[in-house]
Structures are given as structure tokens and as C-alpha cells.
Amino acid sequence: MADTPRPKHSPMVQFSVTGHCLQVGGMSLTRLAQRVGQTPFFAYDRQLLSDRIRELRRQLPSSLHIHYAIKANPMPALVQHMAQLVDGLDVASAGELRVALDTPMPAECISMAGPGKSERDLSTAIAAGAVVHVESSTEFERIMELSTEMGVPPRVAVRVNPDFELKSSGMKMGGGARPFGMDAEIVPDFLKQVFSHDVEFMGFHLFAGSQNLRVESLKEAQQKTVDLALRLAQEVPGPLKILNMGGGLGIPYFPGEESFDLSQLGPHMEQLLSSIHAVRPETQVVMELGRYLVGEAGIYVCRVVDKKVSRGQTYLVTDGGLHQHLAASGNFGQVIRKNYPVAIGTRMGTQDREEVSIVGPLCTPLDLLADKMELPRAEVGDLVVIFQSGAYGLTASPQGFLSHPAALEVLV
Ligand SMILES: *Cc1c(COP(=O)(O)O)cnc(C)c1O
């Protein structure tokens, strides 16, 4: 019987290898672990972060503004680095706003979105002069009450729940019934309410979906986004300062997935921007990205603390696990568990290989970092590396679960 070839992980070539050891931020992983002083840790490579933004700017229209959605990775040092490279920061809470305001980014280039913003979220954003993306009419009333009390007219944009979705995206954020934004069909009436108040109206925010690897799906969603936004813009008496058309670019995590082809997106977006500027020359078009900007620049590193065989299956037990990297365990939105790209960072390219499962120290079968992967033969003391870990890693994990010591994060 002919073997059907098993799909493979996209090669992780962003980090180089010297003498069987992964190199991170200009030093060997072993040395980096010594420098950090403990495992587990997350390391983010600032050169890779910079390269990614440079590549986006090279491929996409020069007038397009790129925002970083900091919920993907809110580590303050990383956000500082990103703030020097992007045109704006998107935050989802007063806590993220504080991190954003510590950077040199001007407040008017910071926006806050998310359902159920608290009074503290709203009042800190208004006081800062950040743009608040309104997600309901109750929220708008709350914003007006707070801003009247504070004597500061708010900067607002309306977040629209589109009447379509981004096909083949990992997470759908619009289309159908959603808790995000206001349904497109009620926006015209809502705008009348908005314009009867003393607000600085900034524009619209539409976010159809995330983690998309298919250029065609994204192009289609972008076209529909622009059509809808321009239709709604007819109800806007003054300038439409901002059109935030969402993001959605994904990165390859699982076997068979390939990098998003940016070269096909550039010409399409060039056209889209021209069509917007033909009717709305004043509009600043924004694309907001989280994972695509930071995901591939980060790794999670943990150490093998035990190696055991159970009924023929070899387990590497590490000091890191799902409490620090929920997504790699398959429990952050995945329907079917698949392996992240994993390597033995201290035995790169060695020929002696074996099939292992890599687990963490938690007493639950969910704590699985690699399920039956063929990897270089590893021993206690070796370092396990999980790639594609720069986004939705530590802060998207239940760190208190089982009360193990905290992981560290470093920017190298
Ligand atoms: C989460 C989020 C993003 C970032 O999504 P990524 O998949 O990380 O690019 C962007 N915009 C909004 C409104 C979000 O909620």
C-alpha cells in the first residue's frame, strides 16, 4: 500500500542553527537560558519584529496605516518596540491602554475596542484622548455621561458588525449574531444619535475575522468591508477620518499550513485604497494586526525534567505546559488538536530520532505540548522549543492553574 505523505509543518527558518543549537537574538539557546536564569520562558526577537513590519510596508500601499493589536502580546518592552514601528496601537482594556500610553505613540493613534468596556476603561480612554470604538447604544450613553462629567468631548468610532464573515478564518469576529460591534443594519439610525451629541466622530471599525491564510478569502472580505463602510459613510455629514478595516492575516501553525502570500494582497489593497480615496480623500485607512506582527518572532522554551516510557509510548516531561502556553496544548479555540511546530532546541538537525509525546507538569491529560512527534532523541536537561509563540502565549494562558512558578518573558 502506498503511503500518503503526511502533511508537514511549514519550516521554521526564522531562527538560525549553529552546531545543533538554535540561535536566538544572536546567542545560543543554551546561553540564553542561562542569561534568563530559569526555564520556562518566552523569548521575542526584536530583529524579527522589525523585519516583519518592514516587509509589510514594502508589500502594502504606502498610505496604509498599520496598527498593532496589543492583546496578541502586551509585554511592555515588546509594545515599546512595536510602537516605534507602527502607526497606531489598538487596546482592549484600561490595562492595555496604560501600556500603550507609556510608549511614545500619540493618544489619538490609540484606539480601544471590545464589548463590555467598564467605566474605568471608558473614562481612562476619554481622558487620554484615545479613540473609543463604540459597540452598543448603551455604551454610547455611558461614554456621553462620563465625558460630560469630565468636560472632555470623546473621540469615537463606530464598530460595525458586518453582514458577512471572513471565510476560512480561524476565528470569526463578524457576520451573523455577534457580541462585537453594532449590526450594520442599525448603524444608520445609531449615527443620528451620535451626531446629535458633542463628539469628535472618527469613523468606522469593521473586523470580520482573524487567523486567515487564504489571500482570496481576505480579498473578498476586504472588498465587502470597503463597500459596506462607504455605504455607511453616506450617513456621515462630516469627514470620515478613519476607516479601520480590520486585519485577519494569519500565520502557519499546523501541518499543511503555509505562510500568507502578501505579494498578492498588495495590488488588491492599492486598488481598494484608491476606490476609498476617490470618494473620501480625507480618510486614513487602517489595518490592525496582532498575531501576524508578533507571532512568528517568539518562542516558548521549557526544559525536559523527566523521560519515561509508558506501554511503548515515550514521554518527555517538561517544566512548562498549558498553564503558560494554552494555545500550544490545543485548548485555545482549536476544534481538533494538532501539534504546534516543536523542536529540541539543543539537538537541532541530529540524525538520531524517535517518536515522543511532550507533556507538562500538570496533572491533566490536556497538558500535551506535542502528541507523537518524531524529534531528535532528547534527554533530561535538553531544551524544548515551541515556535510561533509570540502571540496569544503567556497572557492567553491560565497561569494560576496548579500554582507552578511563573514563566519569564524576554525581548532579545
Ligand atoms: C484580537 C483582535 C485583533 C487582532 O487579531 P489577530 O488575529 O491577532 O491579528 C484585531 N482587532 C480586533 C478588534 C481584535 O479584537
Side-chain angles (χ1 to χ4, degrees), residues 69-72 90 92 113-114 133 135 159 171 173 180 205 207 209-212 244 246-250 288-293 391-392:
I70 81 176
K71 81 170 187 288
D90 294 331
H133 291 189
E135 315 238 354
R159 179 161 179 191
M171 278 189 206
M173 304 282 290
F180 313 114
H205 174 212
F207 186 69
S210 132
Q211 179 51 19
N212 182 286
N244 180 331
L249 276 62
E288 54 176 358
L289 296 165
R291 164 192 337 262
Y292 189 76
L293 299 185
Y392 305 108

Side-chain angles (χ1 to χ4, degrees), residues 7-27:
K8 286 200 166 70
H9 282 104
S10 179
M12 296 292 122
V13 291
Q14 64 271 49
F15 298 94
S16 65
V17 173
T18 305
H20 299 305
C21 194
L22 197 72
Q23 304 292 302
V24 184
M27 70 176 78

Side-chain angles (χ1 to χ4, degrees), residues 99 184 297 343 392 411:
V99 174
Y392 305 108
L411 183 66

Side-chain angles (χ1 to χ4, degrees), residues 380-391:
V380 170
D382 274 314
L383 295 172
V384 169
V385 170
I386 302 181
F387 293 103
Q388 310 297 74
S389 298

Side-chain angles (χ1 to χ4, degrees), residues 19-153:
H20 299 305
C21 194
L22 197 72
Q23 304 292 302
V24 184
M27 70 176 78
S28 75
L29 185 65
T30 320
R31 174 89 178 264
L32 178 61
Q34 291 165 344
R35 198 205 88 171
V36 175
Q38 71 160 64
T39 51
F41 62 91
F42 285 83
Y44 314 118
D45 184 316
R46 63 179 96 225
Q47 188 61 50
L48 292 176
L49 296 168
S50 303
D51 291 350
R52 175 52 56 99
I53 308 268
R54 190 174 328 108
E55 185 59 14
L56 270 171
R57 296 220 190 265
R58 200 173 69 77
Q59 302 265 9
L60 299 182
S62 55
S63 66
L64 179 72
H65 274 205
I66 296 171
H67 283 200
Y68 173 49
I70 81 176
K71 81 170 187 288
N73 188 330
M75 182 207 190
L78 178 140
V79 177
Q80 287 287 345
H81 183 75
M82 298 300 285
Q84 298 163 9
L85 304 169
V86 297
D87 307 300
L89 297 171
D90 294 331
V91 303
S93 66
E96 287 189 356
L97 177 65
R98 189 154 31 81
V99 174
L101 289 170
D102 279 344
T103 71
M105 187 62 74
E108 64 268 25
C109 301
I110 299 174
S111 56
M112 179 186 279
K117 294 180 205 69
S118 67
E119 288 199 356
R120 181 159 157 268
D121 295 330
L122 294 170
S123 61
T124 51
I126 296 165
V131 182
V132 181
H133 291 189
V134 185
E135 315 238 354
S136 80
S137 138
T138 310
E139 185 169 88
F140 182 66
E141 283 164 24
R142 204 167 280 151
I143 290 168
M144 290 320 302
E145 270 166 37
L146 290 166
S147 78
T148 307
E149 227 170 81
M150 295 160 70
V152 186

Side-chain angles (χ1 to χ4, degrees), residues 210-358:
S210 132
Q211 179 51 19
N212 182 286
L213 292 169
R214 308 224 355 237
V215 180
E216 287 312 316
S217 311
L218 192 72
K219 281 189 195 170
E220 187 190 316
Q222 285 186 337
Q223 184 65 57
K224 288 180 178 167
T225 297
V226 169
D227 292 347
L228 174 58
L230 291 182
R231 213 170 341 116
L232 294 173
Q234 290 170 1
E235 316 291 327
V236 175
L240 184 73
K241 294 178 183 161
I242 295 173
L243 170 52
N244 180 331
M245 56 188 290
L249 276 62
I251 60 172
Y253 288 104
F254 306 120
E257 293 185 343
E258 281 172 39
S259 296
F260 189 90
D261 185 2
L262 261 190
S263 67
Q264 286 197 48
L265 193 63
H268 170 80
M269 291 198 77
E270 205 65 77
Q271 264 182 3
L272 273 181
L273 264 63
S274 315
S275 70
I276 297 165
H277 290 141
V279 280
R280 287 287 185 172
E282 76 279 13
T283 304
Q284 182 60 68
V285 182
V286 174
M287 187 176 209
E288 54 176 358
L289 296 165
R291 164 192 337 262
Y292 189 76
L293 299 185
V294 299
E296 301 196 87
I299 54 172
Y300 177 58
V301 183
C302 52
R303 195 179 294 279
V304 178
V305 295
D306 198 356
K307 180 173 183 175
K308 53 198 283 196
V309 178
S310 168
R311 307 211 161 101
Q313 172 72 48
T314 303
Y315 289 94
L316 301 177
V317 185
T318 68
D319 55 4
L322 80 74
H323 56 308
Q324 294 169 354
H325 202 334
L326 186 67
S329 75
N331 294 293
F332 188 64
Q334 294 98 321
V335 182
I336 300 169
R337 191 199 177 284
K338 292 180 190 147
N339 288 327
Y340 260 51
V342 172
I344 307 298
T346 36
R347 305 212 185 225
M348 300 299 288
T350 55
Q351 295 307 312
D352 185 14
R353 296 167 73 86
E354 64 180 340
E355 188 188 271
V356 293
S357 286
I358 304 178

